Amino acid sequence: MLSAALLTGAAGTVFAAEANDDVVSLVTQPGQPLVTTTTKTTAAAPVKETAAKAEAPAKVELADRLVINLAARSIAAIRDNQKVALYPIGPGKVSTPTPTGYYKVIDKEVNPTWTDPGSATSIPSGPDNPLGYRWIGIGGNYGIHGTNHPDSVGHYVSNGCIRMHEEDVEKIYDMVEVGTPVEITYNRIVVEKTPDDQIAYYIYPDGYGWQNVTTADVNKWLAGYGVSDFVTDADVEQKIQASDGNPTYVAKVYPLYVNGQKLKGKAVVQDDITYLPAVDLAEAAKVSLGWKPEEKVLVSSYGQAVGYKKKDTLYCNADDVATLYHLDGGLNAGKFELKTQAKKQETVPVVKNGKAVENGTAKTEAEVYAEATKETAKNAKAAVTDAKAAAKDVKAEAKAK
C-alpha cells in the first residue's frame, strides 16, 4: 500500500512507502510485471603607461558585456555567454556603495585627469592620480578605473566607482567599446560549471548587509545545475556560516539522453559513481519500476539493482542500466547517451532425426515450433511404417512355420 505522501525531487518523482511495504511501484508499464526475486546488489603593482611599441599590438576580441558582482568583488568579461576573464575589484564603501543595475560604457579615456569633487583640484595623469591610467565611464560620475593604491583592490573602499589593478583594467579597457553593456549585481551565492564539468558553488560575505542567504536559497541555485540532491543541508548551512568566498566542488554533471530524448534529470558523477535518475529512465525507456525501501533495491521488469535515495529522489548506478532498463551507452562528447538494447535472435540448434545439427541458424520461436512439430510428425509416420513392416515380418514368419 502506498503512502499518501508524495515526494518530489529535481530528477523525478517517487512515492514514500509505509514501513511494512515490500515493493513500492514507481512506474507501471502494461504487460511488464516487476521482478520480485530478492537480489542485493596577490595584487599586482600598478603598471605605468609604456611607450608605443614599433610592432602593431595584437587584436583583442571584444567582450559582449561586463558583469560586476559587488558581493564577490569581481568583474567578469563575457563573450558568447562564456566567462573569458575575471578580475578583482574595489567597489564603493558601505557609506557610498556602488549602485546595482544595468549600465553601458559611455566613454573611455587613457591617462585621465582626476578632479577632486570637494576642492575642484585637478591631478593630471601620473603616480599621484587615483584613477590610474585608464578610465571607463558607465554613467554619471561612476566608472571603472585603475588606482595608485593597489592594496585597496578587493575591499569596499571607493566613493562608488570600481577600482582595479592597473594591468587588469588595461586588459578590460581593450575588451570594451562605447556601448558595451555593464551589469552590476549583488549576489552572495554564485554557482558555476568549471571547464572540466565540475559544479562549484561560492557564498560571499554580506559586505553591504543587503542580502540574507538561507539553505533553501542555496538549494534552489544548485537545483538549476542538477546537484541539489548531492549536498546535505548541514553542509550548506556550514558553508553559509563561513561565507568565505571559497569554492565547494559538488560533482560533475552531464545532460542525459535516452533514445535521443533529453531528460529533465542529469547524469551526476560523484565519488567515482555515476548516478542516473531512476524514475526518469523508467519513463523514458517505458519500463515498469518499483522500490524496496527496506532493502534499498530498485525492481524493474527486467531485474533488480541497488538504488540510492538522495533527499527525495531515487537514483541508480549507471553500471546497472542494462539490468534495470535494457539500455546501453555512456558518456559521449559531453553528453550521457543511452539507447534501448537491440533485440537479439537466439541461435538455436536444428534437430533432425534426433540429432542436433552443428552451427544452427537463428530462428524465431514460431519457426522452431513449426519445425519441431513437423519433425515430430515425420518421426511418428516413420514409426508407423516401421511397425507395419515389423508386423508383416512377424506374419510372414508365422506363415512359414
Side-chain angles (χ1 to χ4, degrees), residues 177-293:
E177 57 187 0
V178 172
T180 298
V182 178
E183 179 182 351
I184 303 179
T185 68
Y186 188 85
N187 290 322
R188 293 182 59 201
I189 306 170
V190 173
V191 184
E192 67 175 1
K193 190 172 187 177
T194 66
D196 66 344
D197 300 314
Q198 284 272 4
I199 302 301
Y201 74 105
Y202 310 71
I203 301 180
Y204 294 96
D206 196 3
Y208 283 163
W210 286 357
Q211 189 179 77
N212 182 44
V213 169
T214 66
T215 300
D217 295 330
V218 177
N219 280 325
K220 185 176 180 180
W221 277 75
L222 294 175
Y225 288 80
V227 296
S228 61
D229 291 335
F230 294 83
V231 296
T232 68
D233 287 350
D235 287 342
V236 171
E237 183 59 35
Q238 186 176 3
K239 180 78 173 174
I240 293 172
Q241 293 299 321
S243 292
D244 53 14
N246 292 326
T248 295
Y249 297 94
V250 180
K252 291 187 177 183
V253 173
Y254 302 95
L256 177 61
Y257 292 79
V258 173
N259 296 325
Q261 173 191 356
K262 186 177 182 181
L263 306 191
K264 180 181 178 181
K266 302 179 186 297
V268 180
V269 183
Q270 187 182 66
D271 298 330
D272 297 324
I273 296 177
T274 300
Y275 297 92
L276 304 179
V279 174
D280 284 10
L281 288 182
E283 292 174 342
K286 296 180 172 55
V287 172
S288 296
L289 185 68
W291 170 240
K292 294 182 176 181

Side-chain angles (χ1 to χ4, degrees), residues 52-131:
K53 296 182 179 179
E55 298 179 0
K59 184 178 180 180
V60 177
E61 288 191 70
L62 295 175
D64 296 333
R65 69 184 190 277
L66 300 179
V67 177
I68 296 169
N69 186 349
L70 301 175
R73 285 153 289 167
S74 66
I75 182 170
I78 308 297
R79 185 186 307 125
D80 297 329
N81 290 322
Q82 298 293 322
K83 188 187 302 177
V84 295
L86 182 69
Y87 302 111
I89 63 170
K93 300 188 296 287
V94 173
S95 58
T96 56
T98 302
T100 59
Y102 295 91
Y103 304 87
K104 63 181 179 181
V105 176
I106 61 172
D107 65 341
K108 298 172 62 181
E109 187 177 352
V110 175
N111 298 330
T113 297
W114 179 72
T115 300
D116 186 339
S119 64
T121 303
S122 295
I123 299 179
S125 177
D128 296 329
N129 190 313
L131 300 182

Side-chain angles (χ1 to χ4, degrees), residues 197 254-257 267 328-339:
D197 300 314
Y254 302 95
L256 177 61
Y257 292 79
D328 281 328
L331 191 61
N332 179 29
K335 299 178 182 179
F336 204 93
E337 298 179 313
L338 297 171
K339 293 183 178 180

